[in-house]
Amino acid sequence: MVTNSSCYQAGAIGLPIQTASSWTATGCSLGFFCPNNTAEALPEYCPPLPDCQVARLSGLTCEPQGILEPVICTAGYYCPKGAKSMIKCPAGHYCPQGSYTPSVCGRGARCSEGSVQNLDFLPLVILIIVDLLLVSVVVIIGCGSRLKKWRPRQQKRSNRKTYTLPGRVRGSNYQEIEAFRVQGEEEADIAMEAAFAPPQRKRTGFEEIMEPEFDAEQELGDTGKLSSDLQLFVQSMSKCIGGERFGLNFEYRDLKFQPDKNKKPVLSQVSGCINSGSLWGVMGASGAGKSTFVNVLMGKTPHTGGETKVNGVAGNMSRFKKIIGYVPQDDIVLPELTVRENILHSARIRLPYTWTETEIQNHVDILIRCLCLDHVQNSLVGSTAAPVISGGQRKRVSIGIELAASPSAIFLDEPTSGLDATSAASIMTTLKALSRLGITVVTIIHQPRQEIFDSLDSLVLLGAGRMIYQGPQVHMQPYFEQLGFSFPNHGNPADAMGDIIAGEGRLYKPHGDASVQGLIENWHDFSSSRDQGGSSSNISMVEMASLNATIKSRGARWYLQIYFCFIRSIIQQFRLQESFWFEMGTGAMAGGLIGLSEESQKGENFRGIFNEPYSLLSSAIDYTSVPEMALLVGLAIGLTAAPSGVKIFGEEKLVYWREAAAGHNRFAYYMGKVISTIPRMVFANLHFTTVFFLLTTPRISWFAAFAANLLYFYCIYGLASCISMVCRRDDGPLLAVIASLIVGVLNGMSPTLERTSTWHVLWLWRATPGTWLAEAYFTENLQPLEYLYNIDGAVTHLGYHLGKYSLDMWVLLALGTVYRVIAFGGLRFMYRHKQR
Ligand SMILES: Nc1ncnc2c1ncn2[C@@H]1O[C@H](COP(=O)(O)OP(=O)(O)OP(=O)(O)O)[C@@H](O)[C@H]1O
């Protein structure tokens, strides 16, 4: 029997409203208990007293306003169906407000009786274990590499020690003394003699070649006379080339390059040929067209007129890019890798796919010895700002990266600029030796010193994009003298020549025409009347077929290239540990700060209108705490991941361009990078989510939050890689952070998605990962409360979809992938644009 007296008994003003329809045989609705109700005394809502009204408007619950009013089960208690009173939450469980059954706490949680939230420490324990493992791995690898370096040093030191032993054995290392003891005096003597034979320093191939008595032609014909390193290198090369003939012969006739926008050609009427077996120098004043000439010859820049032939065969030059090496002026090497690692990566990617790892390692060993880099092979290359090896050694590494691919021709852009005299001479010695191996070596050179100039065999002199001279270096001076120029008796002829071709010829020819234009015309007349510095030696069809087969066989399979790029990137990240640990620290700190701001809510981050018929009992609604939490998560991940994403993708554009031009698989490079960021994202996310979760204790499960956050990390890394493609290196981190803040803020909290749809810009919000992250959080935090609150009201108000967690995850994955595709497309576009 319903009685109105219940309200008056409580002193409330107004008439009671029957909520009888909610009454079932089992009692009142889930999450409530109705202490005084029976089938005869049905639940009633009594208008609240002012104090209670204030409390409800503040989002708090208040005392029941009548004895028949249903009571929401308070936090720390649960109210099973039909219960007449609340039951305290048992130990090992937690009971937020409105619980009808206690929820089991996590395995790592310590939930005492009456707990309101699941404070699970298990993820924190896992995080600590993971960190300890990571630190151990770092320490073990660090010790391992130190030991690797320390052992040979120790070996050397112990070799130097002198021990006095019976008999005539003197001076040994510990092992040898042991050998002496074990094997007996006579046997040990033999061992000692071998051990103490004065160390024969191997002369490198290049030293051997540059000996005055060295007869290159003869020695190349008879490899038996070459030094052992060089012999091995020749063998290795010939295995790669598929024969003894390494070099490419370039022939060009009336070569022209005129960009679309230029009124005048950059290069015109350039004819001649460059044969293998000698060291060529391309010289000319600044802007004379040297780089353009070399780029056209290599096939990097397509010529707009004339004809080029390689080994007598005309066609697209770029098909030879796998067997042509190009050493840029700036040493584009990876500073975090060692000398050996830089060269080895190139060898693994560019040598024939049929080569085994042992063969590749042997090839690299020989090459490193030939380049005199064996003593620094395990040293980091370092950057120009913080060098570890010398400038000359860096240049050798840069050359080694190209030689590792056993190229048939190698082009170098000012390989001696910025080097001291000794290093420059040494580089030229190296190049000369390479040319003697039969490799075609062409180098752009600026104002060479006398000894460098003397080491050149042949010259190509350009002026205003036209040919001024091409032929043997020793014939250059007589040629100009015959034109009326007089060279100083004791100066460097290269200096005088440099002045003449730069338009300062008047200094050396006071009378008559000394202009560049005159020189061009003279050469034109001269070359028309004679053979232009030798003719290109054509090769037979069989040799050409073999060359084509060689080109086809070059390069590791694409999936192996992905693997090699992945490994290289992991090594780089390992060497840049500070940045890794900084990201982990930032993740944990951001998780902690957000967690602290949400901690006071004790996991109660949604309050809606109670399901009918108890809607009148509802306190103030809170629809925005969940999207607000997602917003903070998005911003925190943006701050953590964006700078790292830029650093990983943006600092190596030059390396990418160099490798792409050398025929590396561009997709493999990018994929290797992308995959290598996954462990980093997982660890950073583990730090962020664990700390954030521990303080916030939201209703979303730890795994669901981890997955959503991880995919958001994936999106931010992708976005950062896009940013790094379009902006300057220095601006990258800041712009990436700004972009990640924007996509984080556009998450549908304010303005709501509902509102944006009325503005017809919902698509913009739906195109940002922030919205999908917020929707995932919304779904996972609200769905468990569907029995208690009218969730549809929140859905209608905000515009998120409910129950679409999987879809949200897929969309986040897709968005992150789209960002990467855009970044990769941008990288390719910029590469093409750069080539033009
Ligand atoms: N793709 C291009 N579009 C327009 N102009 C170009 C292009 N390539 C080269 N040039 C112009 O052609 C001229 C020759 O350029 P190039 O780089 O070949 O000269 P260089 O002799 O190598 O000069 P430097 O010694 O200063 O490097 C320059 O004035 C350059 O601006």
Side-chain angles (χ1 to χ4, degrees), residues 257 259 262 266 285-292 414 446 836:
F257 175 67
N262 279 31
V266 174
S286 183
K290 303 181 290 295
S291 305
T292 309
E414 300 185 31
H446 249 307
R836 258 183 256 139

